[in-house]
Amino acid sequence: MASEKILAGKKSYVEGIKEILDASQGGVVFDYKGISVEEDTKLRKELREAGVHYEVIKNTMLKIAIKGTSIEGLSDVLSGSTAVAIANNEDPLAAARVLHKFCEASKGKYEIKGGYMDGEVLDVAGVKTLATLPNREGLLSMLLSALTGNLSGLARTIDAVRAQKEEEPAA
């Protein structure tokens, strides 16, 4: 049987994982089986630059950490080699974007197992969909473009009505 010191260390580790998961908005569970040191170093660097926390976690520890949370459904994909990429709250899609790009570049050698966003568990297709969305600045730019397009159209219409009224002879 495990000693009290080891059990206390494991409990502390699980609590740390739980805190990181609770503080995040999104993350991705990834199968890293067969990754080379060179590829892993490159992946970790990209994730770090994107502000993503990346860690290889034992499935048992992760299952305990997510038990009783809204993302407990991730337990279904926790088998084999598992790493977790947890995005910060500035860009909750960063983990999905970086890992999706990495998996695409590997031509199917590595795979995404699932993920979560705002407390909802996502399947592989859901993670891929999130990965293809533009970042926050891109979405804001698209929104502003749509808004200004509608406003400029309204302004042109009002100007056309004004011009038409000015051309009409007084009755």
Side-chain angles (χ1 to χ4, degrees):
M1 188 141 170
S3 72
E4 293 293 321
K5 187 176 182 181
I6 293 172
L7 285 176
K10 287 182 178 183
K11 283 182 181 178
S12 173
Y13 178 70
V14 168
E15 285 301 316
I17 294 168
K18 195 171 197 159
E19 286 177 18
I20 292 169
L21 290 170
D22 288 343
S24 71
Q25 288 184 344
V28 178
V29 179
F30 172 70
D31 184 356
Y32 69 93
K33 184 179 179 183
I35 195 168
S36 69
V37 173
E38 182 182 332
E39 291 170 322
D40 188 50
T41 303
K42 181 181 175 190
L43 175 62
R44 286 177 185 267
K45 182 178 185 256
E46 285 181 40
L47 288 167
R48 193 173 30 256
E49 288 172 354
V52 176
H53 175 85
Y54 178 78
E55 188 172 349
V56 174
I57 303 174
K58 287 187 173 188
N59 292 322
T60 308
M61 299 288 191
L62 191 53
K63 284 179 183 178
I64 293 169
I66 64 175
K67 188 174 184 177
T69 67
S70 60
I71 60 171
E72 189 173 7
L74 276 178
S75 294
D76 298 341
V77 299
L78 298 180
S79 62
S81 308
T82 303
V84 180
I86 303 166
N88 63 24
N89 292 333
E90 291 174 22
D91 187 4
L93 304 178
R97 252 189 241 108
V98 172
L99 282 173
H100 177 69
K101 185 176 99 179
F102 180 77
C103 288
E104 292 287 312
S106 76
K107 297 177 176 71
K109 188 175 176 184
Y110 309 109
E111 63 182 40
I112 293 171
K113 294 180 175 185
Y116 67 95
M117 179 61 62
D118 290 329
E120 283 204 35
V121 176
L122 304 169
D123 60 0
V124 177
V127 173
K128 287 182 179 179
T129 300
L130 287 178
T132 57
L133 289 175
N135 62 8
R136 183 176 186 270
E137 288 76 24
L139 288 172
L140 287 173
S141 173
M142 291 168 65
L143 175 66
L144 288 173
S145 173
L147 289 175
T148 57
N150 290 339
L151 290 175
S152 62
L154 177 64
R156 280 192 297 269
T157 303
I158 291 171
D159 190 49
V161 169
R162 180 196 52 79
Q164 185 180 18
K165 293 271 185 196
E166 288 176 353
E167 290 176 6
E168 290 178 359

